[in-house]
Amino acid sequence: MDRDERHDRSERAERLTRYLNELQERIDPRSLELLMRLLRELSTSPAVRGGTYELGMGPEEKELFTPALQAELLVLFGLLTSQDERVVVDLGDSPHAKGMKVLVPQERAQDPEFLYRHKQRVAAEAEQRERDRREVEGIARASGMEP
């Protein structure tokens, strides 16, 4: 690792630490605990490489995971994984992206074509996951298992 990479990582770590300290003052401990667990989960998921990922949460956690907390998770994820400035953008109301927020480079946040392509990619991935789920359930049923 060269000197510039170490500096970039150090700078990102410092920004993340500052943001976490600020966040600790603004949100309740249960929400912060959930954010930290989800951030650890996300940091080892396909989302690190630009993929999508469905978070695993129980009913109580889902209740805590408000839109505001979702946005905070995206900000933290961006601080952890990105060298450039990122902002949270709502993808709107398309069927597979309803209420979905994404982290995008600041200069692309107002680019309708970029956001449209992003929405299309999310939809295609969701449709593939649904096809895969149905296929696995079919295999399970054919094998005499409960899906």
Side-chain angles (χ1 to χ4, degrees):
M1 182 181 323
D2 68 13
R3 184 179 174 153
D4 288 338
E5 279 184 84
R6 282 194 305 273
H7 176 71
D8 288 344
R9 282 186 180 203
S10 175
E11 193 175 293
R12 277 199 325 257
E14 180 61 32
R15 282 188 311 180
L16 181 60
T17 300
R18 279 194 315 267
Y19 196 83
L20 282 171
N21 289 336
E22 176 192 313
L23 198 56
Q24 197 169 11
E25 300 296 319
R26 289 191 288 123
I27 65 172
D28 68 278
R30 287 180 50 222
S31 295
L32 184 61
E33 184 180 321
L34 175 62
L35 273 179
M36 297 313 296
R37 182 186 72 74
L38 294 174
L39 187 60
R40 282 190 299 276
E41 186 177 325
L42 267 177
S43 68
T44 59
S45 76
V48 172
R49 293 174 300 285
T52 58
Y53 182 74
E54 190 170 323
L55 297 166
M57 290 184 276
E60 287 180 23
E61 291 176 323
K62 285 181 182 178
E63 191 174 310
L64 275 177
F65 200 52
T66 63
L69 207 60
Q70 292 169 32
E72 294 295 357
L73 180 60
L74 284 172
V75 169
L76 288 170
F77 188 66
L79 288 170
L80 182 66
T81 62
S82 179
Q83 293 178 3
D84 58 343
E85 195 69 28
R86 302 276 172 140
V87 294
V88 176
V89 174
D90 190 326
L91 283 183
D93 61 357
S94 65
H96 294 292
K98 189 166 188 75
M100 182 182 281
K101 293 174 180 41
V102 295
L103 202 58
V104 300
Q106 192 166 9
E107 66 275 4
R108 304 302 293 270
Q110 301 300 321
D111 180 345
E113 188 175 314
F114 173 78
L115 295 175
Y116 176 77
R117 285 193 315 270
H118 199 80
K119 217 183 287 193
Q120 294 300 104
R121 183 178 61 84
V122 167
E125 289 173 357
E127 288 167 5
Q128 183 61 51
R129 279 194 306 274
E130 181 58 25
R131 283 192 300 276
D132 292 347
R133 184 190 62 74
R134 284 194 307 265
E135 184 174 339
V136 168
E137 285 178 358
I139 292 169
R141 273 194 285 288
S143 301
M145 299 168 55
E146 288 287 322

